[in-house]
């Protein structure tokens, strides 16, 4: 294995930077980005020149006398000289591991996150048949940067239902209204929070609430000054489509899931601050939110496009409904046919109400960010679920249920059920059984473009329950089917650093991935003992006698 010197690494990195600009993989080539690249290239050239001077000086010193070379080496490697050298030239440690870690979010990547285009000739005769209609151009996820084609004016602030979130929430809203002059939307339940109201009858409340209410007097006074400037909405009643430019979440992962549920079509960029328990999807800290939000509003942020699943339930009577529609010629129904349409909307499992919006041109569908779960509910019997992929029967699940998840959801319920964790930039759908009564049923990953059909087996002893991101729980009966595929509307999650660093930081901090005690190295005694050589042990005993 060949080890590269610092000079080789610098040269390699410079060549990769030039290559990435030639092929336009990481930057779009604007003037500001070109200036930033030129500055970075100048720093690389200066660092490369310094490294060559240092290496040349080291080679010259090695030809001197042994005593002089030894003295020079001691002086050159002393801590005082290193500190003075670092103070004179802060860029000497540019390729240190620590520096590389802190600058991982600002460096342009030298490799695409997409796999390289495969070579399309196989042997002397074979090649892939060209089909221009199926050619797709996929942008490199590493180059996905946020840009605003007009200044954002409206921001939706979603907070966790926790009293400890109120101080940063009020501080953020106050700053957005007074400093950034933005229109702030909040949920109507925020205005009904008793801790933010001064008309609460405290004598009817508990002593504990009265104490907490008094502690938040300052926060409440600041919020009441902003109350009239806020715009409110109510979930399930108001449509936020094309009304919100920017979303800020304060809380845990549930706030991001709630934001995804609010927007069943195009989702505004989401900036999630960690104020919850796990915080796997919330990479930002609230300590310096002013600087971080300003950078995002100015367009200086990387994006992770978190894919969502489009789920739709097809009830048993829908085929008869479609035949009736065709028989009367189109969508104009005569009153007598309304009683025959067994049409169920996905609105909290209720019938006869308006369901979700039309997503991707389909009625009766809902978009989920984490997973859709089919389980046996309160029934004591095994679930017996059939799985079809693009119309082809794949297998049946006999167990507690099934999880169909996105790569984002691979670190949620699917991870607890034994699935692999997949980076959110990987286009895929995960199929994970829940406690299957089989020793060979392992979780699988299928391409993102397929459509899964999940239905209750005809010989199943019971029905099943289905839920979408933990919400909208309803029953799946015999003859019903659930269709799942990837939606064209992802959730644009703003990165704190970049797509790679944020994800691995979340694995390490949120899930403590691969945390264990380090194995100790072998000392001289244990190494000799493990060798099993009697001669070596005798020699070691003799050494101990001589030392005594």
């Amino acid at each position: 294995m060949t080890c590269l010197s610092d000079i080789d690494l610098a040269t390699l990195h410079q060549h990769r930077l030039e290559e990435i600009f030639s092929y336009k993989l990481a930057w779009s080539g604007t003037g500001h980005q070109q200036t930033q690249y030129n500055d970075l290239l100048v720093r690389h050239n200066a660092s490369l020149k310094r490294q060559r001077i240092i290496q040349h000086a080291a080679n010259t010193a090695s030809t001197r006398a042994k005593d002089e070379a030894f003295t020079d080496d001691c002086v050159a490697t002393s801590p005082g000289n290193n500190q003075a050298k670092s103070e004179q030239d802060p860029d000497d440690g540019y390729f240190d591991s620590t520096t590389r870690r802190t600058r991982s979010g600002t460096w342009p990547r030298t490799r695409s996150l997409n796999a390289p285009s495969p070579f399309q000739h196989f042997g002397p005769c074979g090649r892939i048949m060209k089909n221009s209609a199926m050619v797709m151009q996929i942008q490199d996820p590493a180059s996905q940067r946020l840009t605003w084609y007009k200044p954002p004016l409206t921001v939706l602030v979603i907070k966790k239902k926790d009293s400890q979130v109120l101080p940063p929430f009020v501080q953020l809203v106050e700053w957005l209204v007074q400093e950034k002059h933005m229109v702030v939307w909040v949920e109507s339940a925020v205005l009904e929070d008793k801790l933010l109201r001064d008309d609460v009858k405290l004598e009817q409340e508990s002593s504990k609430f009265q104490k907490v209410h008094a502690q938040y007097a300052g926060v409440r006074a600041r919020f009441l000054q902003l109350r009239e400037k806020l715009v409110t909405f109510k979930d399930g009643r108001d449509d936020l489509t094309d009304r919100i430019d920017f979303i800020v979440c304060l809380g845990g992962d549930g706030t991001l899931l709630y934001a995804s549920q609010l927007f069943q079509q195009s989702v505004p960029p989401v900036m999630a601050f960690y104020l919850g328990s796990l915080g796997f999807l919330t990479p930002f800290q609230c300590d310096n939110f002013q600087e971080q939000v300003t950078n995002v509003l100015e367009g200086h942020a990387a994006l992770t496009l978190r894919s969502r699943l489009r789920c739709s339930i097809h009830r048993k009577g829908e085929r008869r409904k479609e035949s009736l529609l065709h028989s009367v010629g189109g969508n104009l129904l005569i009153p007598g046919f309304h009683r025959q349409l067994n049409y169920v909307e996905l609105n909290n499992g209720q019938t006869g109400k308006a369901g979700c919006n039309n997503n991707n041109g389909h009625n009766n569908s809902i978009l989920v960010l984490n997973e859709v779960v089919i389980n046996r509910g309160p029934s004591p019997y095994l679930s017996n679920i059939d799985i079809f992929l693009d119309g082809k029967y794949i297998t049946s699940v006999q167990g507690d249920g099934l999880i169909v998840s996105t790569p984002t959801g691979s670190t949620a319920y699917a991870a607890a059920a034994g699935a692999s964790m997949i980076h959110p930039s990987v286009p895929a759908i995960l199929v994970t059984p829940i406690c299957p009564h089989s020793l060979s049923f392992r979780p699988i990953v299928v391409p993102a473009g397929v459509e899964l059909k999940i239905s209750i087996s005809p010989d199943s002893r019971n029905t099943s329950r289905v839920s979408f991101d933990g919400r909208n729980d309803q029953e799946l009966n015999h003859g019903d089917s659930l269709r799942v595929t990837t939606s064209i509307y992802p959730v644009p999650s703003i990165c704190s650093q970049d797509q790679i660093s944020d994800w691995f930081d979340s694995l390490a901090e949120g899930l403590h991935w691969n945390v264990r005690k380090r194995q100790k190295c072998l000392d001289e005694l244990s190494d000799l003992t493990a060798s099993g050589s009697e001669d070596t042990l005798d020699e070691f005993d003799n050494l101990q006698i001589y030392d005594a």
Side-chain angles (χ1 to χ4, degrees):
M1 176 176 168
T2 305
C3 296
L4 298 178
S5 65
D6 289 342
I7 296 180
D8 296 330
L9 290 175
T11 306
L12 178 61
H13 194 69
Q14 177 180 346
H15 290 170
R16 286 180 174 175
L17 280 174
E18 295 172 351
E19 178 185 1
I20 210 167
F21 271 89
S22 300
Y23 289 95
K24 299 181 179 180
L25 291 177
W27 300 92
S28 59
T30 61
H32 172 72
Q33 293 165 346
Q34 187 67 34
T35 303
Q36 184 178 2
Y37 164 69
N38 293 335
D39 294 341
L40 184 62
L41 194 58
V42 169
R43 295 175 64 186
H44 274 292
N45 293 334
S47 177
L48 184 63
K49 184 177 180 180
R50 284 191 299 272
Q51 293 290 344
R52 288 174 177 171
I53 294 175
I54 294 173
Q55 187 177 23
H56 178 71
N59 293 337
T60 304
S62 63
T63 59
R64 298 177 182 176
K66 292 183 179 181
D67 53 346
E68 294 178 357
F70 177 78
T71 305
D72 291 340
D73 282 344
C74 291
V75 174
T77 57
S78 63
N81 282 357
N82 285 340
Q83 183 177 2
K85 182 179 178 182
S86 299
E87 293 176 354
Q88 295 174 0
D89 193 353
D91 285 339
D92 282 338
Y94 196 80
F95 291 96
D96 293 344
S97 59
T98 305
T99 307
R100 189 175 292 115
R101 171 68 172 173
T102 58
R103 300 187 184 184
S104 60
T106 58
W107 279 19
R109 287 187 56 82
T110 59
R111 293 179 63 89
S112 169
L113 291 182
N114 288 328
S117 299
F119 192 69
Q120 299 184 1
H121 293 266
F122 314 113
C125 300
R127 62 169 298 173
I128 294 179
M129 182 177 65
K130 292 184 178 181
N131 186 353
S132 58
M134 299 300 293
V135 174
M136 297 177 59
Q137 292 186 356
I138 303 177
Q139 184 180 6
D140 175 23
S143 67
Q144 292 168 352
R145 309 283 299 182
L146 175 63
T147 183
W148 308 96
Y149 58 88
K150 62 180 180 178
L153 299 178
T154 58
V155 54
L156 171 62
V157 180
I158 302 175
K159 77 173 189 68
K160 179 183 179 181
K161 295 181 180 180
D162 188 354
S163 60
Q164 297 181 356
V165 183
L166 290 180
F169 167 74
V170 173
Q171 185 180 5
L172 172 65
V173 172
E174 185 179 38
W175 180 76
L176 290 172
V177 172
Q178 297 179 356
E179 298 294 333
K180 295 300 180 180
H181 307 288
M182 301 186 71
V183 179
V184 179
W185 287 61
V186 296
E187 194 174 7
S188 58
V190 174
L191 302 184
E192 301 172 1
D193 193 334
K194 293 183 178 180
L195 293 178
L196 297 177
R197 295 171 55 185
D198 57 356
D199 57 350
V200 180
K201 297 180 180 180
L202 295 177
E203 62 275 5
Q204 299 179 359
E205 304 293 339
S206 63
S207 58
K208 182 178 180 180
F209 176 81
Q210 294 179 10
K211 183 178 180 180
V212 176
H213 191 271
Q215 292 176 352
Y216 284 89
V219 175
R220 182 167 56 255
R222 294 167 59 187
F223 178 77
L224 292 176
Q225 296 178 358
L226 304 169
R227 182 186 178 99
E228 300 301 327
K229 300 179 181 180
L230 303 180
V231 183
T232 62
F233 76 97
K234 189 172 183 180
D235 183 17
R237 183 190 65 186
D238 300 322
D239 185 12
L240 300 179
T241 305
D242 297 331
R243 294 186 178 184
I244 304 298
D245 300 329
F246 180 44
I247 302 176
V248 177
C249 294
L250 302 176
D253 296 343
T255 57
L256 187 61
L257 295 176
Y258 180 61
S260 170
Q261 183 260 329
L262 289 176
F263 295 87
Q264 288 293 297
Q265 291 185 5
S266 177
V267 185
V270 182
M271 187 176 187
F273 286 90
Y274 170 65
L275 288 172
S277 302
L278 181 62
F280 193 88
L281 305 178
T282 54
F284 289 94
Q285 302 292 331
C286 283
D287 299 337
N288 59 335
F289 72 87
Q290 296 91 341
E291 178 182 355
Q292 298 178 89
V293 175
T294 300
N295 288 335
V296 173
L297 294 178
E298 293 176 354
H300 306 308
L303 285 177
T304 296
L305 298 184
R306 301 184 179 274
S307 62
R308 294 193 289 179
L309 298 177
R310 190 190 75 221
C311 309
S312 59
I313 290 182
H314 297 258
R315 298 297 182 182
K316 184 177 181 180
E318 283 193 349
R319 290 186 178 180
R320 175 170 173 77
K321 178 196 71 174
E322 293 175 358
S323 62
L324 291 174
L325 288 175
H326 290 297
S327 65
V328 298
N331 294 327
L332 299 177
L333 303 179
I334 61 179
F337 287 129
H338 284 285
R339 297 189 301 270
Q340 304 178 44
L341 301 184
N342 183 19
Y343 189 76
V344 180
E345 297 284 355
L346 292 179
N347 185 23
N348 297 325
Q350 300 177 5
T351 61
K353 291 187 178 182
C356 299
N357 300 329
N358 295 344
N359 309 308
N360 304 348
H362 294 262
N363 291 325
N364 192 26
S365 63
I366 187 172
L367 305 188
V368 299
L369 178 59
N370 264 358
E371 71 275 311
V372 52
V373 178
I374 305 95
N375 59 79
R376 61 189 177 96
S379 173
Y381 300 110
L382 289 175
S383 291
N384 199 340
I385 304 169
D386 294 336
I387 304 177
F388 299 83
L389 191 148
D390 287 341
K392 176 181 174 59
Y393 172 76
I394 300 300
T395 188
S396 295
V397 181
Q398 297 186 91
D400 283 349
L402 183 70
I403 305 171
V404 181
S405 60
T406 64
T408 297
S410 67
T411 53
Y413 195 179
S420 297
M421 296 182 292
I422 299 181
H423 190 275
S425 295
V426 177
I429 298 177
L430 287 80
V431 180
T432 307
I434 305 174
C435 298
H437 199 257
S438 169
L439 298 179
S440 58
F441 196 167
R442 306 303 304 160
I444 60 173
V445 179
V446 296
V450 304
E451 182 184 67
L452 294 171
K453 175 186 172 183
I454 301 166
S455 60
I456 308 300
S457 298
D459 55 351
S460 177
R461 296 185 178 183
N462 59 317
T463 61
S464 295
R465 306 293 300 182
V466 57
S467 61
F468 308 89
D469 276 344
R471 300 166 64 97
N472 299 320
D473 180 80
Q474 57 189 283
E475 190 173 14
L476 199 64
N477 298 303
H478 289 83
D480 299 340
S481 63
L482 172 67
R483 309 290 178 91
V484 181
T485 188
T486 302
S487 170
I488 63 173
Y489 298 110
V491 174
S493 179
I494 298 174
C495 302
S496 175
Q497 301 178 69
D498 56 54
Q499 296 91 339
I500 300 298
S501 301
D502 282 9
W503 193 66
F504 279 100
D505 287 348
S506 296
L507 288 180
E509 298 173 8
L511 299 181
H512 298 287
W513 175 59
N514 196 26
V515 174
R516 72 177 298 273
K517 290 185 177 181
R518 298 288 298 178
Q519 186 180 35
K520 295 181 179 180
C521 62
L522 296 175
D523 56 14
E524 185 179 11
L525 177 60
S526 59
D527 189 17
L528 293 174
T529 304
S531 65
S533 173
E534 296 182 358
D535 296 338
T536 306
L537 291 175
D538 292 338
E539 293 177 0
F540 186 75
D541 292 336
N542 294 335
L543 289 175
Q544 288 182 332
I545 295 175
Y546 294 148
D547 292 341

